Amino acid sequence: DACAAEYPRLVRILTLYCGDREVALDLAQDALARGCAHWRRVKVMDDQRAWFTRVALNLANSRWRRLRRERSALGVLAQ
């Protein structure tokens, strides 16, 4: 139930944050999968919504860093 309730909200937040709905869909799904993997801890949290949001934004930030490193490496290889 928690995942079903959080998914649309996470997609909206991530779409605004990333500017790409397809990326947002993937990141939201990854965040919810992590929530399921750690459900014993998550289910007893006072604010599960905040946990899902933080995980989703951390995943988005990691994606940006990875893409930046890939572009940098491609630039070095192209020289």
Side-chain angles (χ1 to χ4, degrees), residues 44-65:
V44 297
M45 291 181 178
D46 291 334
D47 195 354
Q48 294 172 359
R49 176 174 267 192
W51 186 90
F52 281 114
T53 303
R54 182 74 269 160
V55 169
L57 292 174
N58 285 347
L59 289 168
N61 289 331
S62 294
R63 180 182 177 275
W64 290 121
R65 283 191 297 272

Side-chain angles (χ1 to χ4, degrees), residues 25-43:
L25 292 168
D26 289 341
L27 292 172
Q29 189 173 13
D30 286 346
L32 294 174
R34 288 180 187 218
C36 290
H38 299 285
W39 188 244
R40 282 187 186 158
R41 283 188 318 150
V42 175
K43 74 178 178 180

Side-chain angles (χ1 to χ4, degrees), residues 61-76:
N61 289 331
S62 294
R63 180 182 177 275
W64 290 121
R65 283 191 297 272
R66 184 177 58 254
L67 290 173
R68 190 171 48 238
R69 282 191 310 267
E70 287 174 5
R71 287 183 189 138
S72 176
L74 289 174
V76 169

